[in-house]
Amino acid sequence: MHQLWTTFQASWEVLLEKTQEHIYLSLVSVVLACLIAIPLGIYLSTHRRLANSVITTVSVIQTIPSLALFGFMIPLLGIGPKPAIFALTLYALMPILQNTYVGINGVNPALIEAGKGLGMTRWQLLWIVQLPIARVVIMAGVRLVAVQTISMATIATYIAAGGLGDIITNGMSMMDTPTILLGAIPVSLLVILINILLLQLNRWLTPKGLSDEKTSGQH
């Protein structure tokens, strides 16, 4: 512990810089994946014949080893943050896409018919009925992707994208355990923190009526 504290005191500025790089890589990748996968999942929920082909195609990316995918980016986009973000975004698409598609299709058809009976348009049904109900499933996919992306971003060091992976690989090359922990501990803390933040976001997004219903059901 003393060696770890000494290493932290000597390298805290580097640690801060690499943590910021790691957060940037992870955050941009997850946001881009959400912006692509959630609208696509909603679209596919109304085009089910197309859905199977698209989801199968996107799922192929998940079968590619992460290090190999980063390697494929080098001839296409070179090295640095840009190819890393592109690769991380590709990896993040499948869980969000699938959960969005499943969540939207899992809404009780009776609720949709009731909404239509009230004169709701397709967009009103989506925003008022389907998305609030599917939100829990969609957010589960986002949480999974966030954890996965933070972890995978450590490998981005191999294509000079920065992040906490730089510290970890540096420690491994020197067989220096305190340096390895200096990079590994913040990655673990980031995973815990993002889980807490997304859980709070999920509660905040819960409509008051649904929240009250859950609370009353627990008594």
Side-chain angles (χ1 to χ4, degrees):
M1 184 61 70
H2 176 70
Q3 288 180 323
L4 179 60
W5 177 246
T6 302
T7 303
F8 172 77
Q9 288 180 311
S11 308
W12 71 268
E13 290 182 345
V14 174
L15 176 62
L16 181 61
E17 178 187 353
K18 295 303 176 183
T19 301
Q20 290 173 337
E21 291 174 357
H22 205 94
I23 292 173
Y24 172 76
L25 290 173
S26 304
L27 181 62
V28 172
S29 301
V30 172
V31 169
L32 286 175
C34 288
L35 291 175
I36 295 169
I38 293 177
L40 182 58
I42 293 171
Y43 175 80
L44 293 177
S45 68
T46 59
H47 298 77
R48 299 190 182 186
R49 290 184 179 179
L50 180 63
N52 188 48
S53 299
V54 173
I55 292 175
T56 300
T57 301
V58 174
S59 68
V60 171
I61 299 172
Q62 299 289 110
T63 66
I64 304 174
S66 53
L67 194 56
L69 185 60
F70 280 117
F72 291 149
M73 293 298 107
I74 296 176
L76 299 174
L77 300 172
I79 60 174
K82 184 177 179 180
I85 289 171
F86 190 82
L88 290 171
T89 301
L90 287 178
Y91 252 109
L93 289 176
M94 182 58 189
I96 301 176
L97 174 61
Q98 188 170 40
N99 279 36
T100 301
Y101 178 76
V102 170
I104 295 292
N105 283 330
V107 175
N108 191 332
L111 295 175
I112 298 175
E113 289 302 319
K116 289 179 179 178
L118 292 172
M120 290 185 181
T121 65
R122 180 181 296 181
W123 284 106
Q124 286 174 325
L125 282 170
L126 177 65
W127 286 104
I128 299 174
V129 179
Q130 293 173 297
L131 281 178
I133 295 173
R135 184 204 70 257
V136 174
V137 180
I138 296 172
M139 286 300 296
V142 174
R143 286 175 56 205
L144 173 63
V145 158
V147 170
Q148 170 186 288
T149 302
I150 291 170
S151 302
M152 283 185 57
T154 57
I155 309 174
T157 183
Y158 292 110
I159 54 173
L164 291 165
D166 288 356
I167 298 177
I168 296 172
T169 54
N170 186 42
M172 291 174 65
S173 66
M174 297 186 299
M175 298 295 289
D176 185 354
T177 301
T179 301
I180 295 173
L181 292 175
L182 188 67
I185 291 174
V187 172
S188 302
L189 292 176
L190 282 175
V191 168
I192 295 170
L193 178 62
I194 196 64
N195 256 313
I196 294 172
L197 290 176
L198 288 176
L199 281 171
Q200 290 299 322
L201 177 61
N202 190 32
R203 293 193 183 102
W204 180 74
L205 289 174
T206 301
K208 191 175 185 300
L210 290 178
S211 179
D212 292 341
E213 184 180 338
K214 288 180 182 179
T215 303
S216 62
Q218 291 173 352
H219 292 292

